[in-house]
Amino acid sequence: MKAINETISFIKEQYNTENFIPLHVPHFGGNEKKYLLETIDSTFVSSVGAYVDQFEMMMQNITGTKKAVAVVNGTAAIQVSLRLIGVKAGDEVLTQALTFVATANAIAYQNATPVFLDVDLDTMGLSPDAVALFLQEFGDLREDGCYNKKTGKRISACLPMHTFGFPVHLDELIEICNSWKIPVLEDAAESLGSKYKGKPTGSFGKLSAFSFNGNKIVTCGGGGAIVTNDSELGEKGKYLTTTAKIPHLYEYVHDEMGYNFRMPNLNAALACAQLEQLDDFLTNKRRLATEYKSFFASNGIKFRTETPNTEANYWLMCVELENKIERDLFLKSTNENSVMTRPIWQLMYRLPMYVDCQRDRQINAEFLEERIVNIPSSVR
């Protein structure tokens, strides 16, 4: 209990307040108001406008990819990316159960089924070893792809999520998936600014999806992005998210089912102003993470840090408690003292809509589920 009380005092000192301290709040200290007013004055407030184009170009530069597509949110980005990568109704997608529900929901939106595999303890993201073991037991490699021996369904994608901005072991995962003809789609919703072996997350998969929700490191209220190095797929993504409308001066012709998933210019204006400050956000978060690491080390609590050869954006920082009893006490004490903390997500196969999905033993995921707690991580 002493360590928890000291934690509460330390966090209040960091944020210099005795008032309620949220988990993660946006910081608007740049050109947000200026760009929003410019957008209003231009009258281009919907999905056509200069800031949409600028946002897409900025995302290409930040992620080092050839094409970015602005969309309404991260879930939509994953859903459309799954379609682009070839996921069809009745297919299966390998992913992790330790994730936010949007990852699994996006798969279900494509009328596909998630297969939940374990995570690594160090990254908290999809484990290459777990994927390899699953495919050795259930994989059936055919000319047209990989199939699940147990269900007979095609495994048409692998969807790892970079948990809290900590990159998964991408090289190993992609090598395994390539050997089984399974394309990789990165759920990079939480990892804007993170790097794996010097390269940005989101630049490794066939496609990748980002989120700009209100609690993300960069926000525009809502918003998402698809990025890819396959220019043809990127153009297809832009087309599908723009209601699959064939360009024409005045006619409305739609030649396949598309989505009205376009990011409004108003949101894009906000996003551009936020992206201009990304480097400062990352610097401030790394400074806070360093202070947390030193404090928790002296109090016998494990603070989660980045793995070798990676740079995490430290979007949501977290501690690992000894067991579920300690975790629950930590959660209760901090929240009752106006310091917002929260547990990691409930594993997806515990949710009623995914309870029947195939999964492995989930040893690491269940260990983490009982111990990980997010602590205040706002840019200061």
Side-chain angles (χ1 to χ4, degrees):
M1 190 65 180
K2 179 184 177 183
I4 297 176
N5 289 335
E6 290 180 355
T7 297
I8 293 167
S9 297
F10 180 79
I11 292 175
K12 288 184 175 181
E13 288 175 8
Q14 298 307 301
Y15 288 96
N16 193 29
T17 183
E18 289 295 320
N19 297 325
F20 174 71
I21 301 174
L23 195 66
H24 196 284
V25 295
H27 177 78
F28 301 116
N31 291 311
E32 290 89 352
K33 292 181 180 179
K34 176 186 175 183
Y35 293 171
L36 285 170
L37 287 174
E38 287 179 0
T39 305
I40 292 169
D41 289 342
S42 76
T43 74
F44 287 93
V45 296
S46 192
S47 56
V48 175
Y51 281 112
V52 174
D53 297 335
Q54 182 176 327
F55 168 76
E56 292 178 338
M57 187 60 66
M58 292 177 79
M59 281 300 296
Q60 289 170 210
N61 292 335
I62 289 169
T63 60
T65 54
K66 294 180 180 178
K67 181 66 178 178
V69 180
V71 294
V72 291
N73 54 53
T75 311
I78 300 172
Q79 179 185 349
V80 176
S81 294
L82 287 167
R83 177 172 168 182
L84 291 169
I85 216 167
V87 176
K88 297 180 173 59
D91 285 355
E92 293 179 340
V93 176
L94 306 181
T95 192
Q96 59 204 68
L98 189 72
T99 185
F100 181 57
V101 71
T103 307
N105 284 348
I107 296 169
Y109 295 159
Q110 286 303 107
N111 294 310
T113 302
V115 174
F116 297 120
L117 303 181
D118 208 355
V119 296
D120 285 319
L121 286 175
D122 58 351
T123 68
M124 299 180 286
L126 187 62
S127 169
D129 289 341
V131 172
L133 287 171
F134 176 85
L135 291 171
Q136 286 167 16
E137 182 175 0
F138 296 104
D140 178 16
L141 191 58
R142 306 178 189 174
E143 285 189 11
D144 61 340
C146 182
Y147 287 76
N148 186 334
K149 291 177 183 176
K150 182 175 180 179
T151 64
K153 295 181 178 181
R154 186 172 71 107
I155 302 172
S156 53
C158 178
L159 179 58
M161 199 272 284
H162 301 301
T163 305
F164 306 139
F166 295 104
V168 304
H169 296 296
L170 281 162
D171 281 351
E172 295 91 336
L173 185 63
I174 291 172
E175 182 180 3
I176 291 164
C177 288
N178 284 346
S179 68
W180 287 90
K181 298 182 181 179
I182 301 172
V184 173
L185 161 61
E186 290 178 72
D187 181 348
E190 302 176 356
S191 69
L192 181 68
S194 297
K195 293 181 180 180
Y196 176 81
K197 296 184 178 179
K199 291 180 58 180
T201 56
S203 65
F204 291 84
K206 185 73 172 175
L207 294 129
S208 301
F210 287 87
S211 169
F212 300 89
N213 188 39
N215 66 351
K216 293 298 189 294
I217 188 169
V218 162
T219 183
C220 53
I226 300 166
V227 301
T228 181
N229 280 309
D230 188 322
S231 299
E232 186 176 340
L233 274 185
E235 291 297 335
K236 180 75 171 181
K238 185 74 171 179
Y239 162 74
L240 288 176
T241 56
T242 314
T243 66
K245 182 180 182 297
I246 298 175
H248 192 279
L249 184 62
Y250 53 85
E251 291 284 3
Y252 291 91
V253 180
H254 309 261
D255 61 352
E256 63 179 300
M257 186 196 76
Y259 311 90
N260 189 10
F261 283 172
R262 301 168 293 183
M263 177 189 285
N265 200 37
L266 277 170
N267 296 83
L270 192 59
C272 289
Q274 287 271 286
L275 287 174
E276 289 174 350
Q277 303 167 78
L278 177 59
D279 286 345
D280 288 338
F281 292 168
L282 293 170
T283 298
N284 290 340
K285 278 184 164 288
R286 183 164 291 275
R287 185 181 302 120
L288 177 59
T290 300
E291 292 167 358
Y292 271 145
K293 180 182 179 181
S294 177
F295 169 78
F296 285 115
S298 66
N299 282 272
I301 297 175
K302 183 175 182 179
F303 176 73
R304 281 303 193 125
T305 57
E306 62 203 2
T307 56
N309 298 313
T310 71
E311 294 177 36
N313 65 4
Y314 286 104
W315 168 56
L316 281 188
M317 301 176 209
C318 57
V319 292
E320 180 184 313
L321 284 304
E322 288 294 324
N323 50 52
K324 188 176 185 299
I325 294 173
E326 291 294 321
R327 183 205 73 166
D328 291 347
L329 178 61
F330 188 97
L331 287 165
K332 184 176 186 294
S333 299
T334 51
N335 283 286
E336 287 180 349
N337 284 276
S338 300
V339 174
M340 184 179 178
T341 60
R342 71 180 186 193
I344 205 166
W345 314 279
Q346 192 174 58
L347 299 179
M348 291 298 101
Y349 57 81
R350 303 196 195 282
L351 305 182
M353 56 280 202
Y354 300 121
V355 69
D356 294 325
C357 292
Q358 187 176 1
R359 61 183 174 90
D360 60 11
R361 294 178 62 193
Q362 299 288 309
I363 294 172
N364 293 341
E366 291 185 356
F367 177 92
L368 294 168
E369 181 190 32
E370 293 184 348
R371 291 166 174 80
I372 296 295
V373 174
N374 292 122
I375 57 178
S377 308
S378 300
V379 174
R380 297 175 299 166

